[in-house]
């Protein structure tokens, strides 16, 4: 992979990525991409499955709907913080331990969600599900090896994420809401096929040095603070002195972020080969790729929550029509994003980024100014196209910015930036569109 094309040397990149993920010479031929998609994408459906069934979940657990929504927040938080942690484990210990740990977390968390009548235990189960899914995502992305193959995984994410609410509702009505939260177990079907490409005793890819626990802890604190930051003012709105509480909570959250950033920066200087490698934070290619992905992901999740309300307010669409139209737009945009990933090697890095920025800006402008329903759906299509395309193409660019042993870490930190868009987007939609609901 050169600095001017995403996958000009895709075969070389696939070889180095597989070596970095397994700690050994790769097996003949890459893992079939459909197995990687099955390994990684069910977690997207599991993440969105509760959207339409929160009242049923709340009634079953004996809590208000707003309290049951913590099951969604817990999953999103655990997914965001676990991807870089699992990528760090992948870098140090190889593929086999990550697959085993991730499978155990996913299975154990699902059993806890399925059996527990109490919300705290269900929250713990959802967090374990997300952590296990994060490990499988990190493994699949590290084994993808090219933007074209990564495009299949990313498109699958978008499509299953779009279908997640409807799938969850159907399973809940037919059987139970607990079954709706168990769809990520489908990932386990891919474990044997992917595991055959791991060495029986794979040596770690990173040198055997002391684990950088401080770096991992600081990154976790920073990721947690960033994920919670957009929701801090909203959480304070229900208090008696709302304005003062909003200011206090927002300032406190910003202070935590600032302190975590400062401490992590100092730690990276002291430990340049630690959990957050200095080569990554000093790489313009990695930083540019990660920040652009964050912007496009934030835009997409903002549109995802805002467009249904805009369709009702501006175009007079009812809930059913808006939901069906948005589902079609999301599925179409996710599928089309693979075309960009497949053509990225021929287009080159500059052209690909121009396409992503243009489509992202166009989607935002349509959301701001359009009043015709189909144009608002085009905004949704453009948003998901840009986000899923960025996840496929820019992740490979980010990985190419560092030596092969550090590529799992690069992909993990890139994924963290993308996941943060899922925290920022809904908060922006609430502030700009949904606040008056």
């Amino acid at each position: 992979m050169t600095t001017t094309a995403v996958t000009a040397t895709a075969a070389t990149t696939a070889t180095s990525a597989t070596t970095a993920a397994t700690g050994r010479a790769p097996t003949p031929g890459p893992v079939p991409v459909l197995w990687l998609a099955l390994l990684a994408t069910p977690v997207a459906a599991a993440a969105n499955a509760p959207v339409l069934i929160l009242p049923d979940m709340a009634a079953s657990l004996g809590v208000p709907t707003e309290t049951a929504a913590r099951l969604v927040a817990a999953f999103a938080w655990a997914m965001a913080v676990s991807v870089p942690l699992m990528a760090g484990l992948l870098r140090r210990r190889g593929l086999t331990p990550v697959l085993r740990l991730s499978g155990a977390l996913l299975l154990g968390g699902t059993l806890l969600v399925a059996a527990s009548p109490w919300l705290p235990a269900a929250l713990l189960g959802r967090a374990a599900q997300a952590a296990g899914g994060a490990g499988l995502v990190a493994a699949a992305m590290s084994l993808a090896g090219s933007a074209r193959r990564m495009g299949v995984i990313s498109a699958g994410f978008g499509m299953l994420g779009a279908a997640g609410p409807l799938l969850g509702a159907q399973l809940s009505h037919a059987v139970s809401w607990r079954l709706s939260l168990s769809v990520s177990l489908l990932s386990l079907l891919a474990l044997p096929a992917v595991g055959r490409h791991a060495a029986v005793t794979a040596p770690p890819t990173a040198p055997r040095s002391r684990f950088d626990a401080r770096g991992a802890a600081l990154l976790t604190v920073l990721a947690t603070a960033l994920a919670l930051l957009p929701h801090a003012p909203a959480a304070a709105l229900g208090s008696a002195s709302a304005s003062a509480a909003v200011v206090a909570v927002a300032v406190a959250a910003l202070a935590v972020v600032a302190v975590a950033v400062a401490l992590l920066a100092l730690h990276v200087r002291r430990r340049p080969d630690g959990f957050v490698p200095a080569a990554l934070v000093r790489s313009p290619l990695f930083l540019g790729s990660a920040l652009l992905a964050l912007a496009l992901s934030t835009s997409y999740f903002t549109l995802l929550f805002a467009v249904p309300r805009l369709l009702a307010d501006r175009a007079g669409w009812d809930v059913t029509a808006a939901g069906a139209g948005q589902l079609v737009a999301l599925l179409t945009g996710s599928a089309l994003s693979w075309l960009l990933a497949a053509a990225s090697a021929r287009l080159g890095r500059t052209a690909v980024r121009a396409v992503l920025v243009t489509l992202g800006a166009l989607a935002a402008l349509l959301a701001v100014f359009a009043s015709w329903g189909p144009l608002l759906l085009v905004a949704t299509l453009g948003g998901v196209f840009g986000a899923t395309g960025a996840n496929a193409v820019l992740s490979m660019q980010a990985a190419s910015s560092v030596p092969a042993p550090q590529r799992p870490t690069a992909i993990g930190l890139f994924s963290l930036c993308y996941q943060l868009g899922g925290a920022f987007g809904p908060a922006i939609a609430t502030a700009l569109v949904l606040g008056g609901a």
Side-chain angles (χ1 to χ4, degrees):
M1 188 177 294
T2 67
T3 59
T4 58
V6 178
T7 55
T9 56
T12 302
T13 304
T15 300
S16 59
T18 305
T19 302
T22 61
R24 62 182 178 89
T27 55
V31 182
V33 69
L34 293 181
W35 284 120
L36 296 181
L38 180 60
L39 186 73
T41 57
V43 70
N48 293 344
V51 170
L52 300 178
I53 58 174
L54 278 176
D56 296 338
M57 295 164 55
S60 175
L61 294 169
V63 298
T65 301
E66 294 78 7
T67 304
R70 294 175 184 172
L71 290 167
V72 179
F75 193 97
W77 166 80
M79 187 76 185
V81 302
S82 296
V83 168
L85 294 176
M86 288 293 189
L89 178 63
L90 187 67
R91 173 190 171 195
R92 290 179 57 86
R93 299 300 180 188
L95 181 61
T96 299
V98 171
L99 293 177
R100 289 175 178 172
L101 176 61
S102 300
L105 286 170
L106 180 57
L107 180 59
T110 300
L111 292 176
L112 191 56
V113 170
S116 174
W118 304 292
L119 179 64
L123 286 171
L124 181 61
R126 284 294 277 172
Q129 283 182 316
L136 299 180
V137 169
M141 293 178 69
S142 293
L143 291 169
S146 72
R148 179 188 293 269
R149 286 161 54 83
M150 188 61 211
V152 175
I153 299 173
S154 186
F157 260 108
M159 297 175 73
L160 285 182
L166 181 59
L167 176 63
Q170 293 298 319
L171 291 175
S172 178
H173 294 156
V175 183
S176 167
W177 64 267
R178 298 180 188 273
L179 180 62
S180 302
L181 304 189
S182 303
V183 294
S184 55
L185 284 179
L186 292 173
S187 296
L188 300 182
L189 297 175
L191 279 180
V194 177
R196 283 195 293 268
H197 290 257
V200 176
T201 54
T205 59
R208 280 198 176 275
S209 58
R210 181 173 55 89
F211 175 66
D212 185 12
R214 181 177 298 178
L218 288 173
L219 180 64
T220 301
V221 170
L222 176 59
T224 301
L226 287 171
L228 296 179
L229 178 61
H231 303 283
L237 286 175
S239 64
S241 54
S243 58
V246 167
V247 172
V249 172
V251 169
L254 285 172
V256 172
V257 171
V259 170
V261 168
L263 292 177
L264 185 59
L266 290 173
H267 180 73
V268 169
R269 292 185 63 183
R270 289 194 299 264
R271 188 83 182 268
D273 59 344
F275 193 83
V276 180
L280 275 181
V281 297
R282 295 170 184 168
S283 168
L285 177 56
F286 174 81
L287 293 177
S289 300
L291 292 177
L292 180 54
L294 172 61
L296 291 170
S297 174
T298 300
S299 175
Y300 160 58
F301 283 103
T302 301
L303 293 171
L304 183 67
F305 283 82
V307 165
R309 176 66 181 273
L310 296 177
L311 286 169
D313 291 348
R314 298 180 187 175
W317 289 24
D318 60 25
V319 174
T320 301
Q326 188 173 42
L327 177 60
V328 172
L330 290 171
L331 292 174
T332 304
S334 299
L336 290 177
S337 68
W338 181 82
L339 298 177
L340 178 65
S344 59
R346 295 191 301 273
L347 292 174
R349 182 189 304 159
T350 301
V352 167
R353 295 193 177 203
V355 169
L356 292 173
V357 171
T358 300
L359 285 177
L362 178 61
L365 288 173
L366 285 175
V368 171
F369 294 109
S371 58
W372 187 41
L375 281 181
L376 290 171
L377 292 180
V378 170
T380 299
L381 189 153
V384 70
F385 181 96
T388 54
N391 194 33
V393 179
L394 298 183
S395 62
M396 294 296 98
Q397 294 183 5
S400 72
S401 66
V402 292
Q406 293 180 339
R407 286 177 184 170
T409 300
I411 290 177
L413 294 177
F414 173 91
S415 298
L416 170 61
C417 292
Y418 183 88
Q419 296 282 344
L420 286 175
F424 297 158
I428 294 173
T430 299
L432 299 181
V433 178
L434 306 177

